Amino acid sequence: MALENSTNDSCRSERTIALVWGCELTKEAPTYTFEVPDDWSYEQQLALRTVCLGEKAKDEFHVVEILPPKDSKESAPVCIANLKLSVLPMVASLGFDLNPPVTFRLKSGSGPVYLAGQHLTAVNAWNDSEEEEESSGDEEMEESSKESIKIPDIKHSSVAAKKKTGVAAQEQSQTKGAGRGRKPASKK
């Protein structure tokens, strides 16, 4: 599934393609590395959205962490979730955007633990000649839409609305009491 989002800047024009991404960590396969081929020239990013336990997970602590890249000076892994079925079976992590390669590891627990998010790719939407055509088309569209939009005169419409509500109020006061099922008061 792919979603596209267009952004228009004065200096550049990009289109973002978002693909649904997910992986499973278990005791048998405790690590997963999200990476993209070296020949991909576009900017890549992984937006992690949820970390949750599977239906067959045991009620034990499941610790999920991100391992530092092999060429990094950082040596300590970063814990991103500590889940337990009876306490916290899922974590939503908005705003957790990672640049590949990223390695996830199930440090403790037997799983299954599911990670889900979006694989984002920023690509050039069009070249310079198409950009000029697009901008001139937008200007023409704006001019034609201005001509077709007619703004009603506020003074006339508000007077008409007042007259209409005044007539409705008179009709309502004339029919007041009618149709309610009340009997007229008897004279004694």
Side-chain angles (χ1 to χ4, degrees):
M1 174 188 290
L3 303 173
E4 294 185 13
N5 180 21
S6 296
T7 58
N8 191 2
D9 253 285
S10 60
C11 60
R12 69 173 193 209
S13 186
E14 294 184 333
R15 179 178 69 183
T16 303
I17 300 173
L19 301 172
V20 175
W21 170 87
C23 75
E24 177 183 22
L25 302 176
T26 61
K27 191 173 190 175
E28 294 78 31
T31 61
Y32 177 85
T33 302
F34 171 77
E35 55 190 344
V36 293
D38 292 333
D39 59 342
W40 286 18
S41 61
Y42 301 114
E43 184 179 342
Q44 305 290 319
Q45 201 169 39
L46 176 64
L48 186 63
R49 299 293 185 230
T50 59
V51 180
C52 65
L53 294 174
E55 64 182 35
K56 296 180 182 179
K58 296 178 183 176
D59 194 26
E60 60 188 4
F61 286 105
H62 297 81
V63 178
V64 179
E65 58 188 12
I66 296 175
L67 299 177
K70 294 175 185 174
D71 59 348
S72 172
K73 294 179 182 178
E74 298 288 327
S75 60
V78 177
C79 178
I80 58 170
N82 189 350
L83 306 174
K84 188 172 183 180
L85 193 60
S86 61
V87 180
L88 185 66
M90 182 180 119
V91 173
S93 57
L94 297 175
F96 205 169
D97 300 336
L98 305 163
N99 293 325
V102 180
T103 302
F104 299 98
R105 178 174 71 176
L106 180 61
K107 182 179 180 180
S108 67
S110 56
V113 176
Y114 297 103
L115 287 80
Q118 292 178 311
H119 174 189
L120 304 169
T121 303
V123 296
N124 292 335
W126 50 72
N127 61 27
D128 293 330
S129 64
E130 290 175 334
E131 214 171 285
E132 290 172 10
E133 290 173 11
E134 184 72 26
S135 64
S136 66
D138 289 344
E139 290 171 3
E140 290 172 7
M141 187 186 271
E142 285 178 15
E143 288 175 15
S144 65
S145 65
K146 286 178 184 176
E147 292 172 3
S148 65
I149 297 173
K150 294 181 181 178
I151 300 173
D153 189 6
I154 296 172
K155 292 180 184 176
H156 294 293
S157 63
S158 63
V159 171
K162 287 180 184 176
K163 285 181 182 177
K164 194 180 261 187
T165 35
V167 171
Q170 282 180 343
E171 289 175 0
Q172 191 177 18
S173 66
Q174 289 173 356
T175 59
K176 197 173 189 178
R180 290 189 182 173
R182 288 187 167 176
K183 295 182 182 177
S186 61
K187 297 182 180 179
K188 292 186 182 177

